[in-house]
Amino acid sequence: MAPDEATARSESEDREDGETPRAPGRLVVASNRQPYRHEYGEDGGIEVDAPTGGLTAGLDPVVSSSGGTWIAWGDGEADREVADDEGRVAVPPGEESYTLQRVWLPEAAVEGYYYGFSNRVLWPICHEFVDLIDHRPEDRDWYRHVNREFADAIVDHADEESVVWLQDYHLGLAPAMVSEAVPPETTVAQFWHIPWPRAGAFRAVPDGRELLEGLLGNDLLGFHVESYVATFLDCVEEFVPGAAVDRETAIVGHGDGETRVVATPMGVDAESYDERSRAVDRSQWERLKERYDLPTEATVAVGVDRLDYTKGIPERLAAIEELLAEYPRWRGEFTFVQKGTPSRTDIPAYRDLGEQVRSEVARINDRFGTDDWRPIVYTEEFFSQEELCALYRYADAMIVSPLLDGMNLVSQEYVAASVDGGALVLSERAGATEVLGEDVYTIDPAATDSFAATIDEALSAPEAERTARMDRLREHVFDHDLEWWMDRQFDEIARCRNDGADRDGGRPGPGSETDSAAEPGPFSDSPLSDPE
């Protein structure tokens, strides 16, 4: 029997403000990317690349406080030199309060598991770009193999007191592999950070039932928003015979166990962005304006994205072009700054997107630009945190237009850093729109005319309206920050642990419905192992 709400949430509610969230057990985190990377410096010495923000930085003290283990792909040039024979190194440097267990992956595994199945198959399908799938059969085999390597490492570190918490789509098969090998008291949970596709798109996943059964090895499976919970349950009903889906409780019964599926929108470290933004003085913004030749009195909107086809950058540029064509008063008075970060350039679809974006920027600037004004400033240069916060703080608006996005944390970063006001133009297809609500200026990225009209509305709105909207957005982002998200996840994990203690058994073993995901792949006997 499930405990009541008060019992399940007592851990987080007892936590003092500023105190690190507490996991309900010894935490074993598994992720593609590692929290610390060791590299060789220019002088040949070993340097540590430490987390500076986001989930990695947020989880680091949590794993540390639980004396836990973090399992990740060891991709640093000097990683092997500092690790022991088992691939383990004590971190953080100087504190050595938890174990970083590195999984070693050869180039073929990285190509097949990461650049292949994870990002040529799962990524486009989950974002419903099925026409961009590039499936190579050997990639699926490497995905199985690497998931087995991670699962074996997890099993080595987990006991009946452990909470195993896997992160994201790179490890979709590992939960079932782990669940069949750890004690039944061990809690296995996962957070899927990207969208979950509708059943029509999911049908394109090679051996899709195997992926679903792998994920049903979790006691708890988290998504950002309720719509992804619903589409996941749709897929289970359609593709996993024998699974019992309870829509009211979002619990899936399978074999001898069950999986609770929850929506917990992830937040950002809002306080850090606020502090950094307040520490930025206007001179840093003036230096950025000089560096990119921005007109002194221009209205400025910004976009900050990886160069990914899901981010809707070409659609954004089309809306900017439409704005300048249909609202000519903005010519010479408005500049759009797009910060693009090249990503996964070994994949043709990403290289093609980069070329398209650069070409479109040049064309639009040629059409509307003058001797002393460029409508679009495009840069792929590195921005420090201070420069990024200056851009966020002093821009008049941010435009975020993904064609589909699990959450979109950049939009929340912008809100947290907007200490002087601003406006957020946000795609209706981003998970963040479901939680930020009516105070964003919502757009359909594919509807160019209305997209342009909404940009005009956001830039032209009375300052009182813009300020009121941003104040409400900031209140939400601060109330639902990264620590809030971790607390909610740990509350749900605690509930699963309490439920498990109240049941006899509770986890499927060999021969159950989830067995196929736990079967070793064709490389299972290989000593190889491996990122994001």
Side-chain angles (χ1 to χ4, degrees), residues 113-356:
Y113 144 79
Y114 177 68
Y115 289 108
F117 197 77
S118 291
N119 287 311
R120 293 178 189 247
V121 177
L122 292 183
W123 180 270
I125 289 174
C126 286
H127 290 85
E128 302 197 352
F129 282 82
V130 293
D131 55 324
L132 293 181
I133 297 168
D134 181 10
H135 175 51
R136 304 171 298 190
E138 66 274 15
D139 293 345
R140 179 184 56 201
D141 296 336
W142 276 116
Y143 186 82
R144 289 190 184 113
H145 164 67
V146 173
N147 271 251
R148 171 62 68 182
E149 292 285 329
F150 270 83
D152 289 347
I154 291 168
V155 170
D156 285 344
H157 289 274
D159 58 27
E160 62 275 3
E161 297 298 322
S162 297
V163 170
V164 175
W165 197 19
L166 301 103
Q167 302 297 321
D168 225 354
Y169 63 103
H170 313 91
L171 301 174
L173 303 181
M177 299 172 178
V178 171
S179 293
E180 70 170 3
V182 295
E185 296 85 1
T186 306
T187 303
V188 181
Q190 185 164 12
F191 197 86
W192 189 271
H193 290 266
I194 65 176
W196 189 269
R198 290 169 292 186
F202 183 82
R203 191 171 286 110
V205 177
D207 297 323
R209 176 179 169 182
E210 179 185 23
L211 178 63
L212 289 168
E213 290 176 337
L215 292 170
L216 291 176
N218 288 295
D219 298 298
L220 179 76
L221 177 62
F223 295 96
H224 285 296
V225 291
E226 293 290 349
S227 59
Y228 301 148
V229 171
T231 51
F232 177 79
L233 296 178
D234 290 342
C235 289
V236 172
E237 283 189 323
E238 183 162 345
F239 300 112
V240 184
V245 176
D246 185 327
R247 292 280 179 166
E248 186 173 338
T249 62
I251 292 175
V252 180
H254 48 88
D256 296 324
E258 64 181 33
T259 301
R260 186 189 302 274
V261 188
V262 299
T264 313
M266 186 175 172
V268 299
D269 186 354
E271 187 174 335
S272 289
Y273 278 95
D274 179 87
E275 289 175 355
R276 289 194 193 106
S277 182
R278 292 184 189 280
V280 169
D281 61 44
R282 196 164 189 91
S283 65
Q284 289 174 287
W285 174 235
E286 296 301 329
R287 287 194 294 273
L288 280 177
K289 289 169 69 175
E290 183 178 354
R291 178 164 136 196
Y292 294 108
D293 198 22
L294 302 179
T296 303
E297 301 300 327
T299 298
V300 176
V302 300
V304 177
D305 307 85
R306 284 188 310 106
L307 287 177
D308 191 295
Y309 51 78
T310 68
K311 300 302 182 183
I313 302 173
E315 289 76 9
R316 190 180 310 165
L317 296 176
I320 296 296
E321 182 174 22
E322 181 73 7
L323 176 76
L324 297 173
E326 296 301 319
Y327 303 85
R329 67 179 180 277
W330 291 114
R331 298 179 196 175
E333 302 297 325
F334 167 79
T335 300
F336 177 62
V337 178
Q338 175 64 55
K339 165 72 173 76
T341 302
S343 174
R344 301 170 187 163
T345 52
D346 288 342
I347 299 175
Y350 287 82
R351 290 199 303 272
D352 293 346
L353 174 71
E355 293 172 4
Q356 179 188 5

Side-chain angles (χ1 to χ4, degrees), residues 78-89 100 102 104:
D79 280 352
R80 287 182 183 269
E81 186 168 335
V82 301
D84 65 15
D85 292 343
E86 302 298 323
R88 302 171 184 177
V89 59
L100 172 57
R102 286 171 168 150
W104 308 121

Side-chain angles (χ1 to χ4, degrees), residues 350-432:
Y350 287 82
R351 290 199 303 272
D352 293 346
L353 174 71
E355 293 172 4
Q356 179 188 5
V357 168
R358 289 183 283 270
S359 174
E360 282 297 282
V361 168
R363 184 186 62 78
I364 295 169
N365 281 341
D366 285 345
R367 178 181 177 186
F368 292 105
T370 64
D371 290 342
D372 55 4
W373 171 69
R374 282 182 300 166
I376 301 174
V377 171
Y378 177 74
T379 179
E380 296 178 4
E381 293 179 356
F382 172 78
F383 273 39
S384 68
Q385 283 289 328
E386 290 71 23
E387 290 171 328
L388 195 60
C389 283
L391 191 65
Y392 287 162
R393 176 175 181 176
Y394 292 108
D396 298 282
M398 168 168 269
I399 304 175
V400 181
S401 55
L403 302 174
L404 193 61
D405 212 336
M407 174 51 61
N408 193 279
L409 299 178
V410 168
S411 61
Q412 297 188 55
E413 292 172 3
Y414 168 73
V415 169
S418 294
V419 298
D420 302 315
L424 177 59
V425 179
L426 182 60
S427 169
E428 65 185 10
R429 304 180 192 180

